[in-house]
Amino acid sequence: MPRARPAPSAAPAGPARRAGPPAAPSGCSSFKLRQLSRRVSQQFDAIVGQTGLKTTQYSLLSHIVRLGPVRPGRLAAAMEMDASTLTRNLQPLVALGLAQVGPGDDGRSRLISPTEAGRAKRIQARREWQRAQRAFNSRVGAERVSRLHAVIDECLALLGEAAVADDEAAPAR
């Protein structure tokens, strides 16, 4: 059972002013991000889960509704996940009759589409997701959530640039 944590303090919205250089990060960034991700997912899943979907399934279904019919590669790229993860995450939606995989333009390609039940489930789950987002914003603070989103977007851009640089520096095969 997770330990109860104290409610966030009403600290000033901006960073604390300190004399001298900023403190160096300590600990593992990957662990800290996974820890935060698990905690946020638990809170969203508690609300969105009332529709029978996990938050990750809602996100995938939303992308399918928005982009579908869509090739698996394009969907995976839009969600920034690899093809095998997409295949694994898609299986429960197909089994529930919320999405379908059908033939594409040629015999080798496939297209993923939402079913009518999937479109209806997405509408239902979206209401619960909005409720979860409002609860998160209230608990963490809208200003802090906005800052968190900005930092995440900056990091994603920097890491994306690093991946492109790594790919360009790799020897040709």
Side-chain angles (χ1 to χ4, degrees), residues 72-73 75-90:
L75 180 58
M79 296 189 72
E80 296 191 34
M81 66 173 54
D82 61 57
S84 63
T85 302
L86 173 65
T87 299
R88 188 172 50 254
N89 291 349
L90 183 60

Side-chain angles (χ1 to χ4, degrees), residues 48-121:
V48 175
Q50 295 174 21
T51 66
L53 293 178
K54 294 178 181 177
T55 306
T56 53
Q57 293 170 325
Y58 164 70
S59 179
L60 177 55
L61 183 58
S62 291
H63 276 82
I64 294 168
V65 168
R66 186 169 52 84
L67 299 173
V70 61
R71 290 176 179 250
R74 181 165 176 248
L75 180 58
M79 296 189 72
E80 296 191 34
M81 66 173 54
D82 61 57
S84 63
T85 302
L86 173 65
T87 299
R88 188 172 50 254
N89 291 349
L90 183 60
Q91 290 171 349
L93 295 181
V94 171
L96 290 169
L98 304 177
Q100 58 192 9
V101 180
D105 299 332
D106 58 45
R108 298 175 311 181
S109 65
R110 298 276 178 240
L111 290 174
I112 302 168
S113 304
T115 63
E116 285 307 312
R119 290 180 189 282
K121 180 61 78 175

Side-chain angles (χ1 to χ4, degrees), residues 124-138:
Q124 177 192 15
R126 181 170 170 76
R127 284 191 296 266
E128 297 307 309
W129 171 83
Q130 289 171 330
R131 192 165 67 91
Q133 185 66 54
R134 284 191 304 270
F136 179 74
N137 292 354
S138 176

Side-chain angles (χ1 to χ4, degrees), residues 5 26-37:
R5 296 221 182 218
S26 66
C28 176
S29 297
S30 179
F31 174 74
K32 295 301 284 180
L33 287 168
R34 287 177 183 269
Q35 192 177 32
L36 176 62
S37 180

Side-chain angles (χ1 to χ4, degrees), residues 131-164:
R131 192 165 67 91
Q133 185 66 54
R134 284 191 304 270
F136 179 74
N137 292 354
S138 176
R139 175 93 187 239
V140 174
E143 169 70 23
R144 191 172 284 120
V145 172
S146 292
R147 288 195 329 260
L148 176 63
H149 287 197
V151 168
I152 290 169
D153 289 343
E154 288 175 35
C155 291
L156 287 170
L158 291 169
L159 292 170
E161 291 169 10
V164 169

